Every structure is written in C-alpha cells, then in structure tokens.
C-alpha cells in the first residue's frame, strides 16, 4: 500500500529519521538543580517517542547559566549536565526515535517567568536573588521592550566568548549522544537580535549592512559545524520574518539560508517573530499553517531542506504540506502536548499503520485486538 509522505523516512548525513514528524522544542522551565534535566524531562520527552515521532527536540538549552530564557531552564554549559541528558537520549533511542537538542543564548531576553507565573520579564534584582550570574546582553544597548532592562552591548571579546560557549555546548551535546543539533537563531534571542536592524545598531563589522548583521550568526554556525560530527545533522531555527516594519524579512532569510547551507547547515526550521514586546503577538495572523509560506519560499529559493512549524493540527494538513513540496519536515508543538500520540493518530487519519505495527510493542498487539 502507498505510504503517506508524512511516514516516509528521511536520511540526513548519517542519521535516519523514521518519519517526518518532529516534536518542536518546548521550554519546560522544570530543570533540577544547576540546569540538569530530570525525571520531568524523561517522561515529557519519552512519551513523544512512544507516540511515534521521528525526531524529538529538547527545549531551548542554554550555553551559559545567565543566558536562559527562564530561571529553571536546562543547559549544556557544564559537564554535569551531560549524563542526565544521556539517560533521556538512551530511552528515546530504545523506543525508535531520533533526538535533537536546541542550544540557545537568550541574549537581551534572558530571565523571564514561566507562562504559568505570568510570562513576564523578571527584574535584575529578582534574577540576582537566584544566586546565578544572570546578565542581559545584545548587539546594542537597546531593550526588547518596556518590561525589559537595557542589555549590555557585547564587546568584541564578549562575542568571542559566546562563540566558545556554543562550541563547548556542542561538544557536550555530542557526548550526551544527541543525533541532531539545532541552533536557536530566532525569537529575538541573542543571535536573532544581531540579525535585525531594529536591535542591532552597531557600527563595527557586526552591524550596519545585512552581511555585517549576519556575521555573528555565520560565525557561530561555522564554529558549530566544525565541532559537531560530520555525520550528524545541523538544524537552524530562524524567525524568517521578525515581525517589525522594515526589520528582518523573508528576502533576508533566503540569503541567510543560502549562506547557512553553504556552511553545512542541513535544515532551516522556519519560525517567526519574538524580536521585542511589540512583536510578541505579531501582525501575521496566527491561522492554520501560518508559517508554512516561509518554509516554502526558503526551500525553493535557498534550495535547502526546511521544517515547517506553527498551527499544524492534523495528519491530512501535514501530509498536504509535504505533498505540495512546501517543507521536508513537520514540527508540532502544542498539538503534541494535547496528544502525545499525535504521530500515531495522524497515521490512522491517513489510512496508515492500521494494524498498530508502529506503536510500542507493549501496546500495539493489544490495540490490534481491540474491537
Ligand atoms: C515553545 N516554542 C519554543 N520554540 C523554540 O524555538 N524553543 C523553545 O524552547 C520553545 N519553547 C516553547 C514552549 C512551549 C510550551 C510552547 C507551546 C512553544 C515554540 C514552539 O517550538 C513552536 O514553534 C510553536 O509553539 C508553534 O507551533 P505549534 O505549537 O502551533 O505547533
């Protein structure tokens, strides 16, 4: 029988992803002490492996303790963080999925509350009370919005230090056994803030022209590609449009994506927005598949694999995106929180795996006997 596109494997470098369903990185703000993953992460991520996803991303994982999105986010800035991730990687592998980690520096948006606490920026005083070395940095001394403090503009030596942090986190991600690494260059965090002319007003060779604003992103990508094993895929998440007038736009993203591909980046994960408070709820309507046109144009014009994400609700919608050649991978976020078995259910909606052969062996044979 014909296999839907959504359930066709994809091989990138040495890694085989068994289908096209990716679990999007999602902050849990639930780390154990010192940014270590724990039982929450094992169960949270492990359930997606049982649910049939091809590739599961760990949430935004900080390269520096004071550069987390939230105060209880996980990190890869320290060797003690490797073993807890290794346990999760092993479980996911034993259950047939590939697993990636998204590494990030939150830049001028470091230190916010979890959404269940309000989702607002914390004050520097609140951050200092944690006893950790929090800091907000950016290309220029411009705040992300009224609720944020003004970041320190990074010096040249500061930029070099951050590059080393990305390299060190990449080495640890490899030791933890991750199959895929994703660089978080979107949502207004550090690297994104270098790309947009609104947040980057530098007058050295990291600011001004588009090439200059792209320089830091390309340096980090090149450093990481040289560190991450050649047989493992490298993804980059971008905000393909930053959501501001005259800001970073889709034409810019096509050019950036071509440059990233030339460096050896395998997949561009096409998100949008997040540069500042004003753009938190972007003007782009958040309708069904609203970011798919970004993945489509980058795929076509930069000739690179793309991952589509954002309000992709069910199997038929995901299947149509792939069949129409608009993306190569489909990332689901909130729908996977709603239904961790989303991939298996999508398969059934598409008339695939009706005998439950792809379900965990502990469950599938029983489900096949179900009336
Ligand atoms: C997110 N998102 C997100 N994105 C990212 O790049 N790194 C992250 O750590 C997070 N964290 C996060 C936490 C939670 C709870 C949610 C719901 C979302 C964005 C996410 O990956 C995805 O791009 C969006 O949620 C849009 O996809 P859905 O949810 O419409 O499928």
């Amino acid at each position: 029988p014909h296999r839907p596109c959504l359930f066709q494997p994809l091989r990138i470098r040495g890694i085989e992803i068994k289908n096209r369903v990716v679990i999007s990185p999602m902050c849990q703000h639930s780390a154990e002490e010192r940014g270590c993953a724990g039982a929450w992460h094992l169960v949270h991520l492990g359930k997606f492996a049982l649910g049939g996803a091809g590739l599961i991303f760990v949430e935004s994982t900080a390269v520096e303790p004071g550069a987390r999105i939230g105060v209880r986010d996980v990190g890869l800035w320290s060797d003690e963080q490797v073993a807890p991730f290794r346990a999760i990687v092993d479980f996911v592998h034993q259950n047939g999925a590939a697993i990636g980690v998204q590494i990030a520096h939150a830049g001028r948006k470091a230190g916010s509350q979890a959404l269940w606490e309000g989702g607002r920026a914390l004050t520097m005083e609140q951050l200092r009370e944690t006893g950790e070395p929090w800091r907000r940095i950016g290309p220029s001394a411009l705040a992300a919005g009224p609720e944020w403090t003004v970041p320190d503009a990074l010096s040249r030596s500061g930029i070099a230090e951050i590059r080393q942090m990305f390299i060190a986190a990449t080495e640890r991600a490899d030791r933890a056994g991750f199959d895929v690494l994703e660089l978080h260059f979107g949502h207004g965090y550090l690297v994104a803030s270098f790309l947009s002319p609104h947040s980057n007003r530098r007058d050295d060779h990291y600011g001004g022209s588009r090439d200059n604003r792209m320089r830091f992103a390309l340096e980090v990508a090149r450093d990481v590609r040289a560190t991450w094993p050649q047989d493992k895929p490298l993804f980059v998440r971008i905000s393909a449009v930053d959501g501001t007038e005259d800001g970073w736009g889709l034409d810019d993203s096509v050019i950036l994506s071509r440059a990233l591909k030339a460096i050896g980046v395998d997949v561009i994960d096409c998100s949008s927005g997040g540069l500042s408070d004003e753009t938190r709820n972007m003007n782009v309507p958040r309708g069904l598949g609203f970011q798919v046109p970004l993945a489509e144009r980058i795929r076509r014009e930069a000739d690179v694999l793309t991952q589509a994400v954002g309000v992709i609700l069910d199997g038929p919608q995901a299947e149509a995106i792939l069949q129409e050649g608009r993306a190569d991978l489909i990332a689901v976020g909130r729908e996977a929180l709603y239904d961790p078995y989303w991939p298996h259910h999508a398969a059934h909606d598409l008339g695939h795996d009706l005998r439950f052969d792809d379900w965990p062996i502990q469950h599938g044979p029983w489900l096949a006997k179900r009336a």
Side-chain angles (χ1 to χ4, degrees):
H2 171 72
R3 182 181 281 265
C5 295
L6 193 57
F7 293 94
Q8 288 177 13
L10 179 65
R11 190 176 184 86
I12 311 176
R13 297 179 186 259
I15 300 293
E16 171 109 347
I17 302 171
K18 71 179 174 186
N19 62 45
R20 306 305 178 96
V21 185
V22 178
I23 305 299
S24 208
M26 286 183 280
C27 282
Q28 299 299 297
H29 311 301
S30 300
E32 305 290 324
E33 293 298 297
R34 299 182 303 282
C36 286
W40 175 263
H41 295 90
L42 175 63
V43 175
H44 165 70
L45 297 161
K47 75 184 192 276
F48 297 129
L50 306 187
L55 172 63
I56 298 160
F57 271 108
V58 175
E59 67 201 74
S60 170
T61 297
V63 301
E64 171 183 353
R68 285 179 274 179
I69 295 170
V71 292
R72 288 188 59 201
D73 289 3
V74 292
L76 273 172
W77 66 79
S78 152
D79 289 339
E80 69 176 330
Q81 293 158 337
V82 171
F85 275 135
R86 179 95 223 181
I88 295 167
V89 166
D90 290 345
F91 180 87
V92 167
H93 283 164
Q94 282 153 17
N95 289 280
I99 180 165
V101 61
Q102 181 189 56
I103 59 172
H105 191 296
R108 64 183 193 162
K109 288 180 29 173
S112 55
Q113 295 168 325
L115 189 55
W116 66 79
E117 298 162 335
R120 302 185 66 81
L122 292 164
T123 64
M124 287 313 288
E125 191 176 30
Q126 288 170 316
L127 290 174
R128 271 191 292 273
E129 280 165 13
T130 66
E132 311 238 28
W134 284 88
R135 59 172 184 157
R136 291 196 176 118
I137 55 177
S140 305
L142 292 165
E147 66 175 72
W148 295 96
T149 49
V150 175
D152 295 327
L154 265 178
S155 65
R156 294 292 294 278
S157 64
I159 288 175
E161 275 169 30
I162 306 276
R163 289 174 59 181
Q164 287 307 315
M165 290 173 187
F166 272 96
I167 290 171
T170 298
E171 286 167 349
R172 294 188 187 101
D174 181 42
R175 273 193 273 138
F178 286 108
D179 305 297
V180 176
L181 190 75
E182 175 165 279
L183 294 170
H184 197 349
F185 286 1
H187 302 171
Y189 299 116
L190 184 65
V191 178
S193 70
F194 272 76
L195 295 175
S196 178
H198 290 298
S199 39
N200 182 347
R201 299 278 171 76
R202 297 177 76 94
D203 54 19
D204 64 0
H205 73 302
Y206 287 98
S209 68
R210 175 174 53 211
D211 278 351
N212 279 357
R213 285 180 278 117
M214 285 177 17
R215 187 178 311 278
F216 181 48
L218 298 181
E219 285 177 349
V220 172
R222 223 177 271 119
D223 290 341
V224 165
R225 185 66 273 180
T227 308
W228 188 236
Q230 280 306 304
D231 61 344
K232 292 188 182 186
L234 179 61
F235 289 31
V236 172
R237 174 166 279 200
I238 59 172
S239 284
V241 293
D242 69 14
T244 66
E245 291 274 312
D246 310 318
W248 180 265
L250 191 49
D251 293 338
D252 301 308
S253 288
V254 168
I255 288 167
L256 175 66
S257 299
R258 286 186 191 132
L260 290 169
K261 184 190 174 184
I263 286 171
V265 170
D266 301 293
V267 174
I268 306 294
D269 178 8
C270 301
S271 188
S272 68
L275 186 67
S276 59
D277 286 354
E278 292 75 32
T279 60
R280 186 176 286 168
N281 299 304
M282 285 183 43
N283 297 330
V284 178
R286 295 196 149 238
L288 270 185
F290 71 107
Q291 292 170 147
V292 175
L294 309 174
E296 178 179 16
R297 197 168 145 219
I298 289 171
R299 183 175 192 267
R300 191 175 60 234
E301 294 188 17
D303 190 27
V304 64
L305 299 178
T306 60
Q307 176 163 301
V309 64
V311 198
I312 299 172
L313 301 184
D314 59 23
Q317 183 195 356
E319 177 68 10
I321 294 166
L322 296 175
Q323 278 186 13
E324 291 162 14
R326 306 177 77 192
D328 301 280
L329 289 162
I330 301 292
V332 285
R334 289 162 297 179
E335 289 310 304
L337 299 182
Y338 179 70
D339 175 15
Y341 289 87
W342 191 96
H344 290 315
H345 292 151
H348 279 206
D349 289 346
L350 295 169
H352 178 65
D353 189 35
L354 297 177
R355 298 293 302 160
F356 298 90
D357 295 326
D358 295 344
W359 287 64
I361 197 74
Q362 296 90 335
H363 301 168
W366 292 100
L367 292 171
K369 286 179 190 285
R370 200 175 53 145

